[in-house]
Amino acid sequence: MSRLRRAWLVALALLLASCGGGGPWQLKDIKGVVPDLAFNLTDDSGRRVSAADYRGRTVLLFFGYTNCPDVCPTTLVKLAAALKDLGPAAHGAQVLFVTVDPKRDTLEALHRYARAFGSHVTGLRGSAAELRELAKRYRISYSYGTPDASGNYDVTHSSAVFVFDAEGNARLLVMPDSGEKAIAHDLKLLLGARQG
Amino acid sequence: MSGWLAFLLPWEFSPLAAALALGAAVAFVRGARRVPPGQAVGVARRIGFFSGLALLYFVMQTHFDYLSQHMFYIHRLQHLVLHHAGPFLIALSQPQAVIARGLPARLHERVLTPAWRHPLVQGAYRVLQNWLVAPVLFVGLIYLWLTPEIHFYAMLSGPLYHVMNWSMLLDGLLFWFLMLDPRTREQGALIGLGPRIGLLLLTAVPQILIGADIALATHDLFNVYGVCGRAWTIDPLEDQQLGGLVTWIPAAMMHAVGTLVVLSHWMRSK
């Protein structure tokens, strides 16, 4: 029992040391807390893709849907603005927008939507099972509201953007209240570290 | 498969949890058959033990666990069972001797008894069950995991989430076995019946405080649920208020019931 307790304390201390204070980051540090980037989905041009296809780039993984009235457009606009701040360095970054509403979001709709937020954004779509697996891996959730008279419904979903480095390790979390400046600051560091 | 059956399947299967639950149930049934005449295990004890075990299994190894990961007040209900209701019912049924009788003799005599009597295990047990350490640990764990920053990472990280839940379960078992021991100090209990009444009432106070603090907060303290997505659409503050009430009222009630149980042991000992 005492050994078990000690193990908890050590685990906790390590975690707090790696997550809490210190470090150059302005976003939330999730190194070692969240699993590496891994998925099997279809991109908005119809190609089957996995995490390996994005190795070497800083990936910003975000879950949403194209009919989303608030969180998704504001987040994507914020990410686009942060990437613009980075200038040419932004070419090393890739935003992956995974739809949590594959029923309504066709590949074409997803493609149009993603491009509207810039060339760094790619829409991804999966089968119900692929999406469920991905959500479970990152411990995120989505659920569908009751459709109104014309069949429209809201989707409750995660609002965070998971940031992965070029090797696919989870590094940072963009929170709903993270500012464009903080995002640009941290992405610059992450992209710079890759080149250096 | 129908919705309810699917709901009863594990969300994240834990071989350890399944093996412990099954092992405890089988050992209890076997042990209850083997007790000498005159010491038969009464219906109330059987109901207490199996309802406690079933509650624990339900919150850990069904899709209830999924809801607990994505809704603050369901998470608080899960911890109410792990830290209070489940261990309370099991401790109330005093199953130790029955389970020991139902275990395979070799496992009992060659592994568990020597391990239990090992000085390190006994020393650690004495420390954890000390009259000051046990209540501080019991309340401290609640405060620890409800610290917003720590809570955030516990909900984001799979391994830390399991450390959180197992720590609540183990501490719940330690605490309620200590508190609900029917024996007096002279008969071998670690803490006397009178002092236990005081400890039970005292430990309820910080739980009422933190529960009320959460229930009455006017801003979102635990934003991880918004960040990771809630299980269904609910106003974040409403979710938080419900969670605060669960932390506050049923937990305090368990302490009141515990006090009555100890009081009845005390009356009987007179």
Side-chain angles (χ1 to χ4, degrees):
Chain A
M1 182 57 75
S2 76
R3 204 170 294 169
L4 213 71
R5 295 253 169 199
R6 207 160 48 219
W8 297 335
L9 289 177
V10 168
L12 201 72
L14 277 177
L15 196 92
L16 289 177
S18 68
C19 307
W25 310 111
Q26 294 182 6
L27 301 172
K28 214 155 183 111
D29 191 345
I30 55 166
K31 195 177 174 183
V33 176
V34 170
D36 303 345
L37 188 64
F39 60 82
N40 287 296
L41 298 165
T42 305
D43 79 3
D44 58 22
S45 62
R47 213 161 47 104
R48 290 293 298 165
V49 287
S50 72
D53 295 305
Y54 300 97
R55 244 341 97 80
R57 314 189 76 180
T58 297
V59 169
L60 294 95
L61 182 71
F62 179 51
F63 298 86
Y65 65 115
T66 62
N67 288 299
C68 179
D70 39 41
V71 183
C72 310
T74 42
T75 305
L76 287 169
V77 163
K78 202 160 65 177
L79 293 182
L83 288 174
K84 204 173 159 206
D85 286 356
L86 289 177
H91 290 304
Q94 172 73 55
V95 178
L96 296 178
F97 178 78
V98 180
T99 176
V100 291
D101 188 17
K103 209 175 358 173
R104 280 186 298 182
D105 288 344
T106 60
L107 288 178
E108 300 84 79
L110 205 53
H111 183 81
R112 241 177 300 134
Y113 188 79
R115 283 304 169 281
F117 294 99
S119 56
H120 302 295
V121 186
T122 296
L124 297 180
R125 187 172 178 271
S127 66
E130 286 166 344
L131 182 59
R132 215 168 24 236
E133 198 185 320
L134 185 62
K136 195 167 182 174
R137 182 175 177 83
Y138 295 103
R139 302 179 88 76
I140 63 113
S141 174
Y142 51 90
S143 62
Y144 305 104
T146 347
D148 65 13
S150 44
N152 293 321
Y153 52 87
D154 279 342
V155 186
T156 301
H157 62 90
S158 80
S159 59
V161 182
F162 294 85
V163 183
F164 299 84
D165 64 20
E167 283 78 50
N169 303 308
R171 298 297 295 273
L172 299 163
L173 198 65
V174 179
M175 306 278 285
D177 58 359
S178 302
E180 170 200 328
K181 289 260 154 52
I183 301 170
H185 171 270
D186 282 10
L187 283 182
K188 198 179 216 165
L189 280 179
L190 211 52
L191 288 160
R194 193 176 62 93
Q195 285 153 3
Chain B
M1 199 178 312
S2 84
W4 266 104
L5 274 177
F7 187 85
L8 291 177
L9 289 175
W11 169 244
E12 291 177 304
F13 177 65
S14 157
L16 180 65
L20 282 176
L22 190 68
V26 170
F28 187 91
V29 170
R30 275 165 51 112
R33 286 212 196 111
R34 289 179 186 178
V35 292
Q39 289 179 35
V41 184
V43 178
R45 279 176 73 194
R46 287 169 198 258
I47 292 175
F49 179 75
F50 282 107
S51 54
L53 198 63
L55 270 175
L56 289 173
Y57 184 87
F58 178 74
V59 299
M60 291 179 89
Q61 287 291 290
T62 67
H63 277 54
F64 188 88
D65 187 45
Y66 163 76
L67 299 178
S68 307
Q69 293 174 19
H70 293 291
M71 205 63 112
F72 179 66
Y73 86 89
I74 309 276
H75 151 76
R76 293 316 303 156
L77 282 172
Q78 184 188 46
H79 274 205
L80 182 70
V81 169
L82 290 175
H83 205 212
H84 288 82
F88 185 101
L89 286 166
I90 289 175
L92 194 63
S93 73
Q94 289 294 301
Q96 307 93 303
V98 182
I99 288 177
R101 250 197 207 96
L103 289 171
R106 277 189 162 190
L107 177 68
H108 185 219
E109 286 157 19
R110 303 234 176 118
V111 184
L112 294 179
T113 308
W116 172 242
R117 291 201 182 132
H118 193 281
L120 272 179
V121 174
Q122 281 296 311
Y125 185 74
R126 299 261 157 185
V127 171
L128 290 175
Q129 300 293 63
N130 171 273
W131 69 271
L132 185 61
V133 175
V136 168
L137 198 62
F138 187 79
V139 171
L141 275 180
I142 299 172
Y143 274 70
L144 175 77
W145 295 119
L146 281 174
T147 304
E149 187 72 0
I150 293 174
H151 195 81
F152 189 92
Y153 285 109
M155 284 296 165
L156 204 62
S157 150
L160 192 62
Y161 176 79
H162 292 114
V163 168
M164 169 175 76
N165 280 1
W166 281 100
S167 71
M168 291 306 265
L169 171 58
L170 289 178
D171 182 59
L173 287 168
L174 280 171
F175 183 78
W176 292 109
F177 269 110
L178 179 67
M179 288 297 143
L180 302 182
D181 191 336
R183 297 171 301 176
T184 63
R185 184 110 174 78
E186 294 70 35
Q187 290 165 334
L190 291 170
I191 304 176
L193 290 163
R196 275 190 258 154
I197 293 176
L199 288 176
L200 276 171
L201 293 175
L202 268 177
T203 43
V205 178
Q207 297 182 66
I208 292 169
L209 290 178
I210 196 170
D213 190 50
I214 292 169
L216 302 175
T218 48
H219 65 282
D220 192 4
L221 293 167
F222 304 101
N223 56 358
V224 67
Y225 298 91
V227 164
C228 290
R230 282 188 163 78
W232 64 83
T233 310
I234 183 176
D235 176 48
L237 270 186
E238 193 184 326
D239 183 17
Q240 183 166 292
Q241 283 155 4
L242 286 170
L245 290 176
V246 172
T247 312
W248 171 2
I249 293 164
M253 278 168 63
M254 297 291 302
H255 283 256
V257 176
T259 307
L260 292 178
V261 171
V262 178
L263 204 60
S264 78
H265 290 323
W266 190 55
M267 307 272 271
R268 220 170 294 158
S269 74
K270 290 278 144 182

